[in-house]
Amino acid sequence: MILVTGGAGYIGSHYVLHERERGSSVVVLDNLVYGHREALLGTRLIEGDIRDRKLVEQVLKDFNVDTVVHFAAYAYVGESVTDPSKYYQNNVASTLNLLDAMRAAGVGKFVFSSSCATYGDPEYVPMDEAHPQNPINPYGETKFMCERILQAYDAAYSMRFVSLRYFNAAGADPGGRIGESHNPETHLLPLILQAARGKRDSVSIFGTDYGTPDGTCIRDYIHISDLAQAHSLAIDHLRRDGKSRFYNLGTETGHSVREVINLCSKVSGKPIPVVEAPRRSGDPPRLVASAARAKAELGWAPRFTDLEETIRTAWNWEQKRTY
Ligand code: NAD
Ligand code: UFG
């Protein structure tokens, strides 16, 4: 049995769907602070907090869990700067609590949601896993600290892990059943598509004076289904007795904010009003992954290599979303 923390959230819910569809048994632990019950499509939910040590140990035992996939965290970069306590508590202290509950219950396999935010400002692109890690905000710092904890727990307690460093998660279930729903929404793609639907007056472009071809920031937008698949492959790796590893997950292609807006306009067939705004602090100009290691070692093969197709899935969801 696989325990999925934060499984009612955006990335977690898509992973849960994928894992169930390949026949695995899954139970979700989520406090629904940001998650949605509807996104689970009937998967068993324990509504509770991963900081509740007794509850976590009980769930691990009751469901005979052998592997934990850990999505639960706060993920608003800006808020992590203004309220770092919230982030160190919920992303680091809670992860320690979860890991210690796993030790107590004898559960030794762990898949972790890490981020390219652990790298900070790029020294070179595409960025591979050997790129120096110098996070530039508390959010990235919390993910980096968890990675350090995981290495120490592996060395001392033989707890094996795979840490997946996602670049920018994007898109929705290609079948249109679930999709991205953050409240508040801060991610570029859903904000643009909401502007296309007329739910927002415009979308702001944060910075037009970067040293990129069109002056706007470049990101690597990886489809949510491809992210989901990588978690399953990470579990297979651990179940084959594979050693603890870090993997980047990205398409290895970058798109600027203006390019994303233009593609959204093409897909939706709607004009998208934009407002040119100042840079958002803490935004590196360009983040593009090298995912060669995940491809070579996990056999990961992303299906969505064309951003237009990824946007199509998000647009399909945006028009009929129920949560
Ligand atoms: P999300 O907010 O949609 O999902 C997080 C889920 O965790 C929510 O359902 C929330 O209710 C739950 N949660 C939070 N704290 C909890 C707690 N203490 N106990 C129980 N449940 C709790 O976020 P997401 O975009 O799906 O991100 C999932 C993970 O991936 C996070 O760890 C995030 O840091 C990481 N990540 C996201 C991105 C991205 O582009 N969205 C990129 C890199 C890394
Ligand atoms: N952007 C705008 N206007 C907006 C929102 C975003 O121009 O209204 C720009 C940003 O400046 C950035 C790009 O669009 O250049 C993407 O921004 P997002 O907020 O969608 O995503 P981020 O790159 O900031 O961060 C995301 C997740 C983090 C994660 C990070 C790296 O929010 O959790 O990817 O994985 F750590």
Side-chain angles (χ1 to χ4, degrees), residues 115-116 139 166-168 187-188 204 206 217 219 280 283:
S115 168
C116 64
Y139 167 74
Y166 321 147
F167 280 63
N168 286 55
H187 291 105
L188 181 65
S204 297
F206 294 146
C217 283
R219 293 288 181 273
R280 190 173 67 176
D283 270 344

Side-chain angles (χ1 to χ4, degrees), residues 251-268:
T251 62
E252 308 188 306
T253 307
H255 289 276
S256 72
V257 173
R258 283 197 206 280
E259 283 172 347
V260 177
I261 292 170
N262 289 340
L263 281 172
C264 287
S265 187
K266 182 178 172 198
V267 166
S268 63

Side-chain angles (χ1 to χ4, degrees), residues 10-11 14 166-173 179-180 187-190 220-227 251 260 304 307 309-311 313-314:
Y10 170 46
I11 304 174
H14 286 77
Y166 321 147
F167 280 63
N168 286 55
D173 166 42
E180 181 165 10
H187 291 105
L188 181 65
L189 197 49
D220 183 337
Y221 296 91
I222 174 76
H223 193 273
I224 194 79
S225 301
D226 289 327
L227 279 186
T251 62
V260 177
F304 286 84
L307 183 57
E309 288 306 310
T310 295
I311 291 172
T313 64

Side-chain angles (χ1 to χ4, degrees), residues 9-11 30-31 33-35 49-50 71 90 139 143 169 182:
Y10 170 46
I11 304 174
D30 197 303
N31 60 11
V33 165
Y34 289 118
D49 200 293
I50 56 164
F71 295 95
N90 199 44
Y139 167 74
K143 295 290 177 180
H182 291 116

